[in-house]
Every structure is written in structure tokens, then in C-alpha cells.
Amino acid sequence: MNKIIKREALSENVIKLEVEAPLIAKSRKAGHFVIVKVGKYGERIPLTIAGADIKKGTITLVIQNVGKSSRKICALQEGDFITDLVGPLGKATHIENFGTVVCACGGVGTAPMLPIIEAMKKAGNKVITVQAARTKNLIILEDEIKKYSDEVVIMTDDGSYGNKGLVTDGIEAVIKKEKIDLCVTIGPAVMMKFVSLLTKKYNIPTVASLNTIMVDGTGMCGACRVTVGGKTKFVCVDGPEFNAHEVDFDEMMMRLNAYKDFE
């Protein structure tokens, strides 16, 4: 069991938890995720590690309250325990000095993007973050993002904060003013699909971190399978990051909707 050290509400439906997990904190890298379970018969939920403090022996998780199981996690308070926590899982983000990197994140996807932004900046890249949400109140971790970004472009659907428009509008504005060597995108599947279509038009290599349904996190159950480049891949062991231009996002979104009625 893993104790919750700190709890913070980032927005109405998004909670940040700092959890005791010294071994995971020591070994995790940008892009890694964990699988958590609350209660003996709870659902196993994958969550990307948003940060870690080796000295304190803690990791940071950001959870959006969207269904029955996520509500259980979001309801936990400081001093409570997560029943099971397994990780770090998946393959870490490939980090090197690419040049200029656009990090495009939407909604709660900002949380898993944070360690990638930090790692890309420390590797010597110029990092331009395009952060998007429906409205101002859903923009999260803005100060943390600014700390490691050379430039931050904020987009809101309703224009209540930053620039009015979609994440793709922000990305295209950046593309038109300078050369982009790599784009990394994390967010809702439909957002990543249209980011991928945009960057493909401009021949910009793009990596997408996929948020599929998972059960065991070892590639055995097959729940997280996706089609990438015409081949079946398992997000938990082959990913979670893939060449976005090769991902079949329509198939992925269809599979994500399989349990909508139960949420």
C-alpha cells in the first residue's frame, strides 16, 4: 500500500496526488506510467507519472474524475492509501537534442507532458509548449510548464484565456514562424489525431503518447492493443509513445468508447 502525502485540486475535476513510492521515484523516467488500484476489487487504471522527488521518495499523479474508478482515486485524502501501485511501466520517452521541439498537450494531458518538457529542455532543446483546454478553469500546471518552456502558447476553445482556438491553431502559428524539428503530443485521442494530421502535412516528425484501456500492464491481456503502421502493438509494453503518423486513431477511439455506458 502506498500512502498519499499531499492532495491538491488543480481544477473542478482534476486532482494531483503526491504518493509515497521510493523505488518508483528512483527509477522512473519521462514517459513512464504506473497502474493503480483502489480497494480489493478496484479497477486497474494506468496513470502517467507527472513527476518524482527522489529525496522524498514520492511520485506525482494527476487524475481526472471521469468515471467510477477515477472517482474512487480522486476521493482519497492525505493519509489515505492506494491499495496497489505498480511501475514504472512502458518505455521511457526518447530524449536527445533534436533542436526545436513543440510539446502539444490538451486538458489533463498537460500532466504527463510536464516531465517530457523538463527532459527535452535539459537535453538542450528549444521547447515551445502549446497547451489547450476548453476554458480557462481547465488550464492546469501553467507555472510548472513555464519553468521549462522557452515559450508557452495557451489556447482555449472559448477564448477565456490565452488565444481562442484549438491546439492545432496554436501549433500551426508556431510552424509558420519557425522550423520545428519534433512534435510531441498528449491529450484526448481526437486531439492527437488532428495534431498528427497537421504535422504530417508539414512533414514534422511527431510522437503521440497513447491513453488506451489497460488491465494487466504487461502485454498479456491485449486490452491496450492498437494498430501502428499496419501492425498490432501493445501500448503497455511497446509504448505508450508511437510515431503519431502511423497510429490508427479511428480504431483506437472506437475501442476507447467500448465502456462509455459503464462510466
Side-chain angles (χ1 to χ4, degrees):
M1 301 222 299
N2 300 79
K3 188 177 181 179
I4 295 171
I5 303 302
K6 186 177 179 180
R7 181 186 188 275
E8 179 184 353
L10 298 181
S11 68
E12 185 179 352
N13 290 312
V14 179
I15 301 297
K16 182 170 78 170
L17 299 178
E18 187 177 353
V19 184
E20 275 188 349
L23 294 179
I24 297 175
K26 187 177 180 180
S27 58
R28 72 94 204 187
K29 294 181 180 179
H32 279 148
F33 68 95
V34 294
I35 287 184
V36 304
K37 187 179 79 171
V38 177
K40 185 177 179 180
Y41 301 106
E43 180 185 7
R44 295 162 61 89
I45 298 178
L47 296 170
T48 306
I49 302 168
D53 188 321
I54 296 175
K55 290 183 179 180
K56 292 170 65 177
T58 62
I59 61 171
T60 299
L61 304 175
V62 176
I63 307 99
Q64 185 174 23
N65 189 344
V66 293
K68 182 179 179 180
S69 295
S70 57
R71 277 198 299 274
K72 282 186 179 181
I73 300 174
C74 289
L76 295 174
Q77 302 297 316
E78 293 176 7
D80 288 341
F81 290 85
I82 291 175
T83 310
D84 292 305
L85 191 153
V86 179
L89 299 172
K91 293 182 178 179
T93 305
H94 176 66
I95 304 292
E96 65 173 84
N97 191 338
F98 296 97
T100 299
V101 178
V102 167
C103 293
C105 44
V108 76
T110 301
M113 185 66 84
L114 182 56
I116 295 173
I117 292 170
E118 179 181 352
M120 287 292 185
K121 182 59 183 173
K122 289 181 177 178
N125 293 283
K126 178 179 180 180
V127 179
I128 302 173
T129 301
V130 182
Q131 184 180 4
R134 292 194 308 274
T135 187
K136 179 180 179 179
N137 293 337
L138 299 179
I139 294 290
I140 63 172
L141 302 171
E142 183 181 354
D143 290 340
E144 292 87 341
I145 292 294
K146 287 180 176 178
K147 182 178 179 181
Y148 295 105
S149 301
D150 293 279
E151 180 183 348
V152 177
V153 178
I154 294 179
M155 308 295 300
T156 50
D157 293 359
D158 60 4
S160 57
Y161 191 53
N163 306 294
K164 184 175 182 178
L166 303 174
V167 67
T168 46
D169 297 319
I171 297 169
E172 192 156 32
V174 173
I175 291 171
K176 288 180 177 179
K177 71 178 184 179
E178 60 185 292
K179 180 180 179 295
I180 305 303
D181 299 291
L182 177 72
C183 177
V184 182
T185 183
I186 307 178
V190 66
M191 184 208 90
M192 293 190 290
K193 172 184 175 179
F194 283 100
V195 168
S196 176
L197 290 172
L198 173 67
T199 57
K200 189 173 184 178
K201 184 176 74 171
Y202 288 99
N203 296 313
I204 298 170
T206 301
V207 174
S209 181
L210 306 186
N211 53 346
T212 54
I213 295 167
M214 290 187 195
V215 179
D216 69 303
T218 65
M220 292 172 59
C221 73
C224 67
R225 66 186 181 275
V226 290
T227 300
V228 181
K231 297 180 180 179
T232 297
K233 299 288 183 180
F234 299 98
V235 174
C236 65
V237 290
D238 298 319
E241 298 175 0
F242 297 94
N243 180 342
H245 298 159
E246 294 185 347
V247 175
D248 186 337
F249 283 104
D250 290 332
E251 177 193 64
M252 175 182 160
M253 287 187 286
M254 180 182 68
R255 291 180 57 80
L256 282 170
N257 288 328
Y259 298 100
K260 279 289 184 183
D261 293 342
F262 297 94
E263 287 185 349

